[in-house]
């Protein structure tokens, strides 16, 4: 079975308002719009397609762990600690809701941010070696 699933192609994110959310992802995260209608928007960024899907009120992609802590389900990677710190500053300047930069006891550091609908995302300071090799970084 090894090697049959090659990559994650699309991630679906629940949002309340397609217009507002797609504008937010474009202006705040640099996403590129591929398609939009009243029920969904297809955005490309971070080497992936993201479908913003119109969802019910208070619906998010988050989940709660066994201790009751709300968690993100997706981690973005940047190339090194200085890139992480710079992105954190940019997000704060852009008035994106962000958490503190954390040392979680493993390689690199992280911070969490959220979109307009409260979907949580993680950012990690370590690019995977496979990605670095593939894109000559």
């Amino acid at each position: 079975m090894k090697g049959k699933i090659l990559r994650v192609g699309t991630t679906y994110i629940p949002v309340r308002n397609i217009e507002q959310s797609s504008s937010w992802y474009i202006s705040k995260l640099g996403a590129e719009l591929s398609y939009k209608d009243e029920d969904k928007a297809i955005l490309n960024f971070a080497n992936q397609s993201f479908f913003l899907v119109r969802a019910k009120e208070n619906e998010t992609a988050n989940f709660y762990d066994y201790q009751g802590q709300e968690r993100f389900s997706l981690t973005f990677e940047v190339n090194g600690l200085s890139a992480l710190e710079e992105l954190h500053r940019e997000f704060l300047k852009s008035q994106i809701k962000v958490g503190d930069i954390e040392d979680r006891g493993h390689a690199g550091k992280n911070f969490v941010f959220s979109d307009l609908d409260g979907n949580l995302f993680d950012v990690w300071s370590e690019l995977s070696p496979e990605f670095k090799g593939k894109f000559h970084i």
Side-chain angles (χ1 to χ4, degrees), residues 63-121:
F63 68 94
Y64 290 87
D65 67 16
Y66 74 100
Q67 295 177 333
Q69 183 175 348
E70 191 172 24
R71 298 289 188 149
F72 51 84
S73 60
L74 184 65
T75 298
F76 295 106
E77 297 176 350
V78 296
N79 193 14
L81 183 56
S82 61
L84 181 87
E85 291 168 342
E86 175 64 25
L87 186 63
H88 190 263
R89 283 190 296 274
E90 286 179 24
F91 280 10
L92 286 170
K93 194 178 205 178
S94 295
Q95 300 180 329
I96 295 174
K97 186 176 176 185
V98 296
D100 294 332
I101 294 176
E102 304 174 288
D103 181 344
R104 297 182 185 159
H106 56 69
K109 294 192 177 181
N110 302 66
F111 71 84
V112 176
F113 72 95
S114 66
D115 70 5
L116 293 175
D117 294 283
N119 290 297
L120 298 174
F121 302 100

Side-chain angles (χ1 to χ4, degrees), residues 121-137:
F121 302 100
D122 186 48
V123 182
W124 185 34
S125 65
E126 303 296 312
L127 277 176
S128 67
E130 181 179 310
F131 187 86
K132 282 183 176 183
K134 184 175 182 177
F135 291 96
H136 309 292
I137 297 173

Side-chain angles (χ1 to χ4, degrees), residues 26-37:
I26 291 165
S27 68
K28 305 290 187 182
L29 303 183
E32 294 178 3
L33 181 66
S34 289
Y35 176 84
K36 182 172 62 172
D37 62 29

Side-chain angles (χ1 to χ4, degrees), residues 1-8:
M1 186 69 138
K2 185 177 178 180
K4 291 188 180 197
I5 296 177
L6 301 178
R7 73 181 197 100
V8 174

